[in-house]
Amino acid sequence: TPSRAAAFHYEIYKRNPNVNAIVMTQCPSLMGFCPTDAKFDVRTIPESWIFLQDVPKFPFGSQYKDTAAVAEVFKNRPCAMLANDSIVVASDSLLNAFDRLEVAEFSAKSLILAAPVGKLHPITDKEVEDLRVAFHVGE
């Protein structure tokens, strides 16, 4: 019996011909953001944003109820969070998917560990736009 997630994976591949690998997992630090209202803000350093872009979070069960809408996000982004469930990374190769997952997990860990030190001062929208243009990333 295939996993309930098989239809979700099928939709991602069908809607995104550039995707050749999907990783759906529950990394420890990232899971600190999945079941909470805490924002997973990857605008900590340029490399994190370039690699991950802004990571949307979908309501619990969206990958089963609104499969097409969630799969559509991977046209412009490599990662998405599924509330109370997991993080999904889609990429052109398995190696790139794991690289993005590693950046996501360490970004999440750094946000958690840095929280007691002070408030995050994220990269601004203007700086993100500069990164988008300079590195041909995003929408």
Side-chain angles (χ1 to χ4, degrees), residues 44-76:
T44 53
I45 59 173
E47 290 82 0
S48 291
W49 187 86
I50 291 167
F51 233 56
L52 304 172
Q53 299 166 44
D54 294 320
V55 179
K57 187 189 296 185
F58 291 91
F60 179 72
S62 296
Q63 71 273 31
Y64 308 121
K65 297 174 192 160
D66 200 5
T67 306
V70 179
E72 195 70 21
V73 79
F74 295 99
K75 283 191 186 293
N76 298 317

Side-chain angles (χ1 to χ4, degrees), residues 14-129:
K14 181 173 99 177
R15 294 174 179 279
N16 304 288
N18 59 319
V19 171
N20 295 313
I22 301 168
V23 177
M24 192 171 182
T25 188
Q26 298 170 333
C27 298
S29 297
L30 284 164
M31 289 311 294
F33 293 90
C34 282
T36 66
D37 287 333
K39 183 179 183 210
F40 177 50
D41 194 344
V42 297
R43 294 180 177 203
T44 53
I45 59 173
E47 290 82 0
S48 291
W49 187 86
I50 291 167
F51 233 56
L52 304 172
Q53 299 166 44
D54 294 320
V55 179
K57 187 189 296 185
F58 291 91
F60 179 72
S62 296
Q63 71 273 31
Y64 308 121
K65 297 174 192 160
D66 200 5
T67 306
V70 179
E72 195 70 21
V73 79
F74 295 99
K75 283 191 186 293
N76 298 317
R77 292 188 169 88
C79 301
M81 285 189 154
L82 303 171
N84 295 341
D85 191 282
S86 58
I87 182 140
V88 182
V89 180
S91 191
D92 60 340
S93 73
L94 190 56
L95 183 60
N96 283 339
F98 275 111
D99 279 348
R100 290 177 194 281
L101 179 61
E102 183 179 40
V103 170
E105 174 64 6
F106 280 101
S107 294
K109 187 173 186 174
S110 69
L111 288 169
I112 292 167
L113 293 174
V117 177
K119 186 179 176 194
L120 171 67
H121 296 283
I123 297 170
T124 66
D125 289 340
K126 166 73 170 99
E127 292 166 328
V128 164
E129 187 56 33

